[in-house]
Amino acid sequence: MSKPFDVVVIGAGPGGYIAAIRAAQLGFNVACIDAWKNASGGPAPGGTCTNIGCIPSKALLQSSEYFEHAKLHFSEHGITASGVKIDAAQMIARKDAVVKQNNDGILYLFKKNKVSFFHGQGSFVQATEAGYEIKVSGGSEETLLGKQVIVATGSSPRALPGLPFDEELVLSNDGALRMGAVPKRLGLIGSGVIGLEMGSVWRRLGAEVTILEALPTFLGAADEQIAKEAKKAFDKQGLKIALGVKVDEVKKTGKGAKAALSIAYTDAQGAAQSLEVDKLIVSIGRVPHTAGLNPEAVGLQLDERGAIVVDADCKTNLPGVWAVGDVVRGPMLAHKAEEEGVAVAERIAGQHGHVNFGTIPWVIYTSPEIAWVGRTEQQLKADGVRYKAGTFPFLANGRARALGDTTGMVKMLADADTDEILGVHIIGPMASELIAEAVVAMEFKASSEDIARICHAHPSLSEATKEAALAVDKRTLNF
Ligand code: FAD
Ligand code: NAI
């Protein structure tokens, strides 16, 4: 006999677990299935984000930043810290503890909201008149029946053709977050978000880091001015980034403790080059994950990339089956997955859930942090939009000077005719937090004048946002 539920959610990453909680809040009888296992084989809900993504990467970014501060910046504050060392194994153990707090937090939230959790792999069996039959295996052994199903099975790292991940020498984000010692020479392929964040962690801890990027432009998705500023900052830090590169061959060399990799590549000028590294992180994007889901059993439609095909409301081709997060189109971001999860639960309840793709913030948690929302200057030009731009450097911000972190700027782009804010781009301290004000402003269709007239606390980094808004009208007060 299958266990009946109003809603069955497959996957407990940010898309799935949030969808399950919201559906339960709306009065549905909800099951959530998740396959992730912790080191002892127990459940570890939270998906890529919690286990090998957002949370552990931010834990390591924090530890490595403290280390670099202690080594390079304490002395300017008059603090003596001699013999500063890094114990990579302890740093990884702390990261694991942070992950576990998040896993446990989700299990607690399921209990609190009366979501039934099933640990195991969920796969479609068949569609019946009463709903979809889904088998859980490899943990709990059950068959569930869902009147409505939300698929939130996430994504997996993309490997270089012919170079599978072994998580020893050739690492995905998983292995990159588990290295128990600092490699002397670390290579990365792809200077996207993972390349820059992971490259920063291990460079700060003492690795010689080289990133090989296929595209000739650096951070093409960001505003050009911000990307230029970021490249300057990373160059200064000693993060070597080679653009316009073609990786030709990766060969394993040496054995045991001497095992290493030799990368043959063609540089932007067409010259043959080689790079020897002790570890290689391949961060060339992610692919939607549906392995084990058995979508064929019910005729769930996938596109040529393997993503589940959905409409603007996250409806699939099957009545009552929805899909959210990394497994569908759109940016692969945890907060995008969460918003879709909430919206789908509300749509199932007959409400009007909504996700505004135009105001999804992007953050890269390097130092300086990079964050943006809305359109870039190059996009506005390409779209033929008349705009005004205002920038304000952190160099002229009192709080940034007190922090000793004055790299970067806030840049605001507003419509030349209506003054509506069209994009905000930040590089600098706490950009990840500062961007929230810009998201709120854009959601409320604020003008740059609105931000310019709002009182911001002094001294605070957020004054740079107000000053950038004043700069749109050429009336900055502090620059
Ligand atoms: P996932 O988090 O991938 O969760 C899917 C879950 O479904 C997993 O637990 C999986 O085990 C389970 N599952 C899959 N198939 C089945 C099945 N058949 N049965 C049962 N369970 C199944 N995003 C940000 O917004 N901010 C960040 O700072 C950030 N940092 C990142 C850092 C790294 C290193 C990486 C790799 C990603 C990062 N991301 C970040 C992206 C973020 O992790 C993803 O966008 C997010 O996890 C997507 O959520 P999801 O729920 O769609 O899928
Ligand atoms: P990415 O898409 O950000 O970057 C991949 C990079 O690899 C691109 O610059 C691409 O041009 C390059 N590339 C592709 N093929 C290549 C090749 N053969 N040789 C050299 N370079 C090549 O993907 P990434 O960094 O793997 O991250 C995956 C996703 O995870 C991100 O797109 C993002 O959605 C999410 N993420 C989000 C974070 C955040 O929000 N802070 C942090 C980390 C990941």
Side-chain angles (χ1 to χ4, degrees):
M1 262 298 277
S2 46
K3 287 191 172 158
F5 288 92
D6 298 325
V7 181
V8 174
V9 182
I10 309 176
Y17 92 79
I18 288 290
I21 289 173
R22 185 70 189 118
Q25 284 175 347
L26 290 163
F28 294 113
N29 179 22
V30 181
C32 184
I33 311 168
D34 190 83
W36 210 290
K37 289 184 178 145
N38 61 24
S40 18
T48 301
C49 178
T50 300
N51 292 294
I52 52 167
C54 328
I55 301 298
S57 61
K58 267 79 257 179
L60 296 191
L61 279 156
Q62 194 62 52
S63 300
S64 59
E65 191 158 12
Y66 282 147
F67 178 65
E68 191 162 74
H69 273 286
K71 272 201 323 183
L72 300 183
H73 303 301
F74 275 16
S75 59
E76 72 204 45
H77 294 267
I79 304 168
T80 308
S82 57
V84 175
K85 281 197 273 203
I86 185 76
D87 176 347
Q90 165 57 24
M91 179 185 73
I92 298 289
R94 174 192 176 268
K95 178 265 298 180
D96 290 341
V98 173
V99 167
K100 184 168 183 315
Q101 283 167 7
N102 284 270
N103 297 140
D104 292 348
I106 295 168
L107 288 172
Y108 161 78
L109 290 171
F110 280 163
K111 259 201 194 121
K112 180 180 160 203
N113 288 282
K114 299 192 174 53
V115 172
S116 303
F117 177 67
F118 295 88
H119 187 211
Q121 173 140 305
S123 43
F124 282 108
V125 179
Q126 61 171 338
T128 70
E129 276 193 2
Y132 294 88
E133 236 175 56
I134 295 154
K135 195 170 115 208
V136 186
S137 53
S140 326
E141 305 290 325
E142 303 273 0
T143 302
L144 314 182
L145 184 74
K147 278 190 215 151
Q148 301 276 332
V149 179
I150 305 174
V151 181
T153 48
S155 62
S156 334
R158 190 152 74 85
L160 262 186
L163 189 69
F165 297 113
D166 59 19
E167 305 299 0
E168 283 297 325
L169 289 179
V170 183
L171 314 175
S172 70
N173 53 298
D174 187 4
L177 290 160
R178 283 198 274 118
M179 278 190 266
V182 182
K184 189 165 173 306
R185 302 162 304 173
L186 174 67
L188 292 101
I189 301 187
S191 68
V193 203
I194 296 182
L196 293 174
E197 290 188 357
M198 288 297 99
S200 294
V201 166
W202 296 104
R203 182 206 57 76
R204 289 172 193 165
L205 299 177
E208 228 173 76
V209 177
T210 308
I211 310 183
L212 303 178
E213 165 61 46
L215 291 178
T217 42
F218 178 65
L219 269 188
D223 186 272
E224 264 170 27
Q225 193 180 354
I226 301 289
K228 240 187 223 157
E229 190 78 9
K231 182 72 171 46
K232 234 182 357 186
F234 297 141
D235 286 347
K236 209 163 133 197
Q237 292 166 6
L239 199 62
K240 289 186 211 132
I241 305 170
L243 299 172
V245 154
K246 184 177 166 293
V247 175
D248 299 311
E249 194 183 14
V250 182
K251 271 202 301 214
K252 292 190 185 170
T253 60
K255 283 215 168 102
K258 294 224 165 107
L261 292 161
S262 173
I263 306 166
Y265 67 94
T266 309
D267 70 16
Q269 286 70 44
Q273 303 283 359
S274 80
L275 175 72
E276 315 301 313
V277 296
D278 302 305
K279 303 266 182 194
L280 176 68
I281 300 173
V282 178
S283 47
I284 56 169
R286 299 180 60 83
V287 288
H289 178 96
T290 52
L293 181 67
N294 201 18
E296 312 78 36
V298 287
L300 182 62
Q301 193 189 343
L302 309 185
D303 67 14
E304 61 293 344
R305 289 173 45 246
I308 297 177
V309 177
V310 289
D311 67 8
D313 286 346
C314 293
K315 276 188 186 140
T316 69
N317 64 314
L318 302 174
V321 180
W322 312 71
V324 300
D326 281 12
V327 78
V328 304
R329 62 9 195 175
M332 288 185 168
L333 294 173
H335 40 283
K336 174 264 193 184
E338 291 181 8
E339 292 303 310
E340 285 183 334
V342 167
V344 163
E346 293 179 350
R347 285 172 195 137
I348 291 173
Q351 299 181 359
H352 299 280
H354 177 67
V355 182
N356 183 354
F357 275 79
T359 54
I360 293 177
W362 279 86
V363 179
I364 307 177
Y365 293 81
T366 43
S367 179
E369 289 186 347
I370 302 162
W372 71 89
V373 59
R375 282 186 280 176
T376 60
E377 194 165 353
Q378 64 267 24
Q379 280 170 337
L380 292 177
K381 278 186 187 149
D383 294 348
V385 178
R386 286 186 349 101
Y387 65 91
K388 302 175 283 182
T391 57
F392 186 82
F394 283 108
L395 200 61
N397 174 276
R399 185 72 195 281
R401 285 197 205 118
L403 275 174
D405 197 353
T406 51
T407 313
M409 70 183 92
V410 177
K411 171 172 180 174
M412 189 174 286
L413 300 165
D415 188 285
D417 302 316
T418 65
D419 194 34
E420 182 180 341
I421 299 171
L422 302 174
V424 176
H425 305 269
I426 307 176
I427 175 165
M430 291 291 164
S432 55
E433 300 294 334
L434 295 175
I435 201 65
E437 177 182 11
V439 177
V440 172
M442 286 186 64
E443 275 289 349
F444 282 86
K445 301 210 170 293
S447 61
S448 76
E449 185 70 16
D450 288 327
I451 299 291
R453 287 185 178 278
I454 289 171
C455 180
H456 288 63
H458 178 76
S460 70
L461 297 169
S462 68
E463 285 173 291
T465 307
K466 176 185 170 105
E467 289 275 6
L470 286 164
V472 168
D473 195 33
K474 300 194 174 31
R475 50 183 229 265
T476 48
L477 297 165
N478 283 287
F479 188 62

